[in-house]
């Protein structure tokens, strides 16, 4: 029994703040532990190990895969790409916009002849004399002599379907119209007129509240006839005004600007909707980057803490197995002494009860281990039929935890991405407030317009180039200068929008302050957890030594009959609790360091080297 006591006295102190692991702790092999559990028939959750693939990983491997394959991170990255595209879209509002148009048209008239029935004066030749008697046939048989009107027929005049100038004689139509059907022309064929107009233009919106538009155009207008200019004489019947030279081309140019005046609506970058949209998009792009960093930070914090929980579960299993070996040896010793009368069945039952408790504790530890492995696989988007085994557990446990930095709060204030994202919300709120304040001002714009045009009323130019070169001497020049004033009665909509912008800006500021306070609290808790875990480490180390010494003394006294088996089991429980507490404290100090790094936004810098 003294040998057992000495064995317990040198039981490994699994986790020590400043000293490396001893020889026994260096035998901590998670892969062998898990393989052994999966090798034979096992009760409870360990039966799941039979159908799963063991995968040996390290902290860096798990963190790297989680940061590359985690779906939440992928969504945050897509949001970042989308925010960048929005910046490009908003910035395009200040690009020079080019336009071009080409129009062609042709106009001509065709023949359309219809058979139309109406009262008509019969076609008669007043000078016809078919019988050659010297008297026009038109007047033969008439009662009165007809005076011819220059040998032409006099048209008949109708009023209310009655001929008012009928009869025979000077000034009379000579006959009464009668209804007849004859061909009449609705339209007559004429040469076609062709017109082509081409124009190019450019426009630009400036960030200080000015819009500029410019255009240049030329037209080709083929004519078949024109109104003769005053005091001109036709040159010929075929080409009365010199159209044979084909002077069909004209040109025109225009320039217009709308300028917001100082201290009015739309002036400056604060009053430009395009500038506001661009600044908001850029802020949104920066915010998306900070949000992605925050998601990476939160994901990495969850991965690291879950990884350490998995190590702690394996430590608990290892400690329980080692302690169970000691208890099995104790039970074998008691069983051999059962027949001597110094040991009762009740005392043996106490040991059996403690062994049964070990089974339940080990089952709970395995359950936690498998749960942590499954959580990590979810974060890594890995195969669900895999069990992760930390190959670097021994090295990680051997690493000493560095002291927290003295400027932990300052680092958190300038490095935590959640604070930076909240500050971007404040910046956007200020931009919106300045814009809405500008929009509540009177709307006064200076409008400038200049147009140069050439006319083809009489003639143009022989080609478009010549027309363009002669824009310096246009037929018509129009210059317009005006001031446009607009102020809605009461201006209630702008005032309401301004009031809402003030509220939104204040809410963004309050949220930013809440975020800062939450991060400060996170730093407080992390530092307190680190100090608490260090204190637990020191206490548990002393408890371990005292519990081991007390257990050794109880075993010796039990050998002499001065202690009961119940007291020996209580001492044994103290040793087990001290080892588990020491192991838990070692893991907790690492987890507290992870939480501190998460609060400072430095997890990748601190852990993924």
């Amino acid at each position: 029994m003294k040998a057992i006591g000495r064995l317990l006295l040198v039981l490994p102190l699994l986790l020590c703040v400043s000293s490396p692991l001893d020889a026994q702790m260096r035998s901590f092999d998670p892969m062998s532990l898990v393989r052994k559990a999966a090798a034979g028939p096992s009760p409870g959750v360990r039966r799941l190990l039979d159908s799963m693939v063991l995968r040996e990983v390290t902290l860096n491997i798990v963190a790297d895969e989680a940061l590359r394959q985690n779906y939440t991170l992928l969504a945050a990255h897509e949001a970042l790409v989308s925010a960048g595209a929005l910046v490009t879209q908003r910035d395009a509002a200040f690009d020079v916009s080019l336009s071009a148009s080409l129009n062609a048209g042709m106009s001509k008239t065709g023949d359309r002849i219809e058979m139309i029935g109406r009262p008509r004066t019969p076609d008669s030749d007043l000078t016809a004399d078919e019988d050659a008697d010297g008297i026009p046939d038109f007047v033969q048989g008439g009662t009165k002599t007809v005076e011819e009107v220059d040998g032409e027929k006099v048209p008949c005049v109708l009023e209310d379907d009655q001929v008012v100038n009928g009869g025979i004689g000077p000034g009379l139509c000579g006959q009464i119209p009668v209804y007849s059907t004859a061909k009449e022309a609705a339209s007559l064929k004429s040469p076609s007129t062709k017109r082509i107009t081409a124009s190019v233009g450019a426009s630009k919106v400036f960030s200080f509240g000015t819009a500029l538009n410019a255009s240049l155009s030329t037209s080709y207008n083929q004519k078949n006839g024109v109104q003769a200019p005053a005091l001109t004489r036709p040159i010929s019947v075929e080409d009365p005004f010199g159209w044979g030279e084909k002077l069909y081309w004209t040109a025109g140019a225009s320039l217009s600007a709308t300028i917001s005046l100082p201290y009015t609506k739309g002036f400056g970058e604060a009053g430009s909707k395009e500038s506001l949209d661009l600044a908001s998009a850029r802020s949104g792009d920066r915010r998306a980057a900070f949000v992605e960093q925050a998601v990476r930070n939160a994901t990495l914090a969850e991965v690291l803490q879950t990884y350490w929980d998995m190590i702690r579960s394996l430590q608990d299993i290892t400690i329980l197995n080692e302690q169970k070996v000691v208890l099995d040896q104790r039970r074998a010793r008691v069983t051999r002494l059962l027949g001597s009368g110094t040991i009762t069945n009740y005392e043996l039952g106490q040991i059996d009860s403690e062994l049964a408790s070990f089974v339940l504790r080990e089952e709970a530890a395995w359950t936690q281990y498998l749960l942590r492995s499954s959580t990590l696989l979810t974060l890594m988007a890995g195969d669900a039929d895999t069990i992760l085994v930390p190959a670097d557990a021994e090295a990680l446990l051997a690493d000493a935890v560095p002291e927290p930095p003295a400027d932990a709060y300052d680092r958190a204030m300038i490095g935590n991405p959640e604070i930076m994202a909240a500050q971007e919300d404040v910046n956007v709120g200020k931009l919106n407030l300045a814009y809405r304040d500008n929009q509540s001002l009177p709307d006064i714009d200076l409008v400038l317009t200049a147009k140069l045009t050439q006319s083809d009323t009489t003639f143009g130019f022989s080609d478009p180039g010549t027309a363009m070169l002669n824009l310096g001497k246009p037929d018509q020049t129009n210059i317009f200068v005006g001031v446009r004033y607009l102020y809605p009665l009461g201006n209630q909509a702008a005032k309401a929008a301004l009031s809402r912008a003030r509220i939104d800006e204040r809410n963004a500021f309050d949220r930013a302050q809440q975020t800062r306070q939450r991060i400060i609290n996170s730093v407080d808790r992390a530092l307190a957890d680190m100090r608490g875990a260090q204190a637990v480490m020191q206490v548990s180390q002393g408890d371990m030594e005292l519990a081991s010494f007390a257990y050794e003394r109880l075993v010796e006294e039990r050998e002499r009959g001065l202690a009961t088996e119940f007291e020996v089991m209580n001492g044994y429980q103290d040793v087990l609790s001290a080892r588990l507490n020491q192991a838990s404290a070692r893991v907790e100090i690492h987890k507290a360091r992870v939480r501190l790094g998460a609060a400072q936004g430095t997890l990748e810098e601190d852990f993924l080297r």
Side-chain angles (χ1 to χ4, degrees):
M1 295 301 294
K2 291 182 179 179
I4 297 176
R6 286 193 294 272
L7 176 62
L8 290 175
L9 187 60
V10 296
L11 284 175
L13 301 178
L14 289 179
L15 296 172
C16 181
V17 175
S18 59
S19 62
L21 300 178
D22 58 17
Q24 186 171 353
M25 190 58 222
R26 284 196 293 269
S27 65
F28 176 52
D29 187 356
M31 179 57 77
S32 298
L33 183 66
V34 178
R35 283 177 177 171
K36 181 179 178 181
S42 302
V45 296
R46 277 173 285 178
R47 288 179 297 180
L48 299 175
L49 298 173
D50 296 340
S51 58
M52 293 186 177
V53 177
L54 303 185
R55 180 186 175 189
E56 200 168 24
V57 294
T58 63
L59 181 63
N60 283 342
I61 291 176
V62 172
D64 180 67
E65 290 192 15
L67 294 179
R68 285 189 295 104
Q69 301 176 184
N70 183 268
Y71 293 121
T72 305
L73 273 174
L74 294 176
H77 180 70
E78 292 300 327
L80 177 60
V81 175
S82 176
L86 182 61
V87 172
T88 303
Q89 176 186 349
R90 298 302 189 196
D91 191 37
F94 298 102
D95 292 344
V96 176
S97 298
L98 301 178
S99 62
S101 65
L102 179 64
N103 301 317
M106 182 183 69
S107 175
K108 69 177 182 177
T109 304
D111 288 334
R112 185 164 70 86
I113 309 298
E114 301 289 345
M115 294 295 294
I116 302 299
R118 66 171 80 240
R120 292 183 176 83
T121 300
D123 292 334
S124 300
D125 184 1
L126 298 181
T127 61
D129 184 10
E130 295 182 359
D131 55 3
D133 59 358
I135 301 175
D137 296 336
F138 179 77
V139 299
Q140 288 184 7
T143 58
K144 294 183 179 180
T145 303
V146 177
E147 289 188 14
E148 296 182 3
V149 182
D150 293 334
E152 297 180 357
K153 294 183 291 185
V154 177
C156 295
V157 179
L158 295 177
E159 290 185 4
D160 298 328
D161 295 333
Q162 299 294 324
V163 179
V164 297
N165 64 338
I168 300 174
L172 302 178
C173 69
Q175 56 187 319
I176 298 176
V178 296
Y179 182 87
S180 64
T181 300
K183 291 183 178 181
E184 292 190 12
S187 62
L188 296 177
K189 184 176 181 181
S190 65
S192 62
T193 298
K194 301 180 180 64
R195 185 177 184 87
I196 300 175
T197 301
S199 65
V200 292
S203 62
K204 180 173 175 58
V205 175
F206 296 91
S207 61
F208 46 84
T210 297
L212 186 66
N213 294 277
S215 66
L216 188 65
S217 64
T218 183
S219 296
Y220 171 87
N221 190 19
Q222 180 184 3
K223 295 182 177 181
N224 296 293
V226 295
Q227 179 68 32
L231 304 178
T232 59
R233 180 188 303 174
I235 298 175
S236 68
V237 176
E238 294 78 11
D239 189 12
F241 304 113
W243 286 106
E245 195 176 344
K246 300 186 183 300
L247 304 177
Y248 298 153
W249 291 94
T250 57
S254 67
L255 179 67
S256 64
T258 302
I259 305 172
S260 298
L261 297 180
Y263 308 107
T264 65
K265 177 180 178 181
F267 179 77
E269 292 189 2
S272 171
K273 184 64 167 61
E274 292 79 9
S275 295
L276 172 66
D277 290 341
L278 178 58
S280 299
R282 286 173 175 167
S283 179
D285 184 44
R286 293 190 296 269
R287 188 185 189 281
F290 290 134
V291 168
E292 185 191 31
Q293 292 177 17
V295 174
R296 291 175 67 87
N297 195 53
T299 301
L300 189 56
E302 185 177 3
V303 167
L304 295 178
Q305 293 192 87
T306 304
Y307 194 85
W308 277 110
D309 285 336
M310 187 169 64
I311 292 177
R312 178 166 57 187
S313 297
L314 289 176
Q315 282 189 111
D316 291 347
I317 294 171
T318 300
I319 293 173
L320 289 172
N321 287 338
E322 291 175 353
Q323 292 293 112
K324 185 174 180 296
V325 170
V326 175
L327 193 59
D328 284 337
Q329 294 174 352
R330 178 70 186 169
R331 186 184 187 283
R333 172 69 175 173
V334 171
T335 302
R336 289 194 298 270
L337 297 175
L338 186 60
S340 65
T342 58
I343 298 296
T344 65
N345 286 326
Y346 174 75
E347 292 173 321
L348 181 61
Q350 288 180 323
I351 298 177
D352 290 336
S353 177
E354 188 65 26
L355 286 172
S357 175
F358 265 95
V359 174
L360 296 178
R361 287 189 175 188
E362 188 179 9
E363 180 70 12
W366 277 109
T367 300
Q368 290 297 317
Y369 171 71
L370 294 179
L371 178 62
R372 305 304 180 192
S373 175
S374 177
T375 301
L376 285 176
L377 286 171
T378 301
L379 294 172
M380 298 162 57
D383 190 355
D385 295 333
T386 302
I387 293 294
L388 301 179
V389 182
D392 57 346
E394 183 179 346
L396 292 175
L397 291 171
D399 285 341
V401 178
E403 289 294 326
D407 59 344
Y409 292 97
D410 294 335
R411 294 181 67 183
M413 290 300 100
I414 64 175
N416 188 279
E418 295 182 46
I419 293 178
M420 300 298 104
Q423 185 58 46
E424 289 298 332
D425 291 338
V426 175
N427 295 338
V428 171
K430 291 179 179 179
L431 290 172
N432 282 319
L433 180 59
Y435 173 74
R436 290 302 175 186
D437 183 54
N438 176 274
Q439 295 299 295
S440 64
L441 299 174
D443 188 2
I444 304 178
D445 294 330
L446 176 64
V447 180
L448 304 175
T449 302
K451 289 185 178 180
L452 304 177
T453 56
Q454 294 173 346
S455 173
D456 63 350
T457 302
T458 302
F459 54 80
F461 296 90
S462 59
D463 57 80
T466 303
M468 294 288 183
L469 292 175
N470 283 274
L471 268 178
K473 48 180 182 178
D475 296 313
Q476 186 176 11
T477 301
N478 292 326
I479 297 177
F480 173 81
V481 179
V483 176
R484 182 183 63 191
Y485 173 80
L486 176 65
Y487 190 77
L489 185 63
N491 208 22
Q492 294 300 317
K495 292 179 180 178
L498 176 60
S499 177
R500 181 174 178 180
R502 286 196 182 100
I503 296 174
D504 292 342
E505 190 269 342
R506 184 63 193 180
N507 288 338
F509 178 80
D510 292 341
R511 288 193 299 270
Q513 292 298 103
Q514 290 175 351
T515 301
R516 288 188 177 90
Q517 189 60 49
R518 178 169 55 83
I519 298 304
I520 290 175
N521 292 337
S522 297
V523 175
D524 285 338
R525 289 194 300 270
L527 292 175
D529 291 343
M530 290 187 71
R531 289 190 291 266
Q534 288 172 345
V536 171
M537 281 288 299
Q538 296 173 0
V539 172
S540 62
Q541 184 173 356
D543 290 346
M544 180 62 195
E545 295 174 355
L546 292 175
S548 299
F549 179 76
Y551 180 73
E552 180 185 12
R553 302 301 300 172
L554 285 171
V555 170
E556 291 178 352
E557 291 178 0
R558 177 58 178 154
E559 290 293 324
R560 297 194 300 267
L562 299 177
T564 65
E565 194 66 30
F566 177 75
E567 292 174 321
V568 174
M569 287 299 99
N570 283 340
Y572 176 81
Q573 280 288 351
D574 291 341
V575 174
L576 177 61
S577 296
R579 291 193 67 185
L580 292 175
N581 289 340
Q582 190 180 36
S584 177
R586 181 61 173 176
V587 170
E588 283 302 320
I589 195 172
H590 283 282
K591 291 179 64 178
R593 183 195 173 199
V594 170
R595 289 192 291 272
L596 178 61
Q600 297 177 145
T602 58
L603 282 181
E604 291 191 62
E605 175 186 346
D606 295 340
F607 289 90
L608 300 183
R609 298 187 295 269

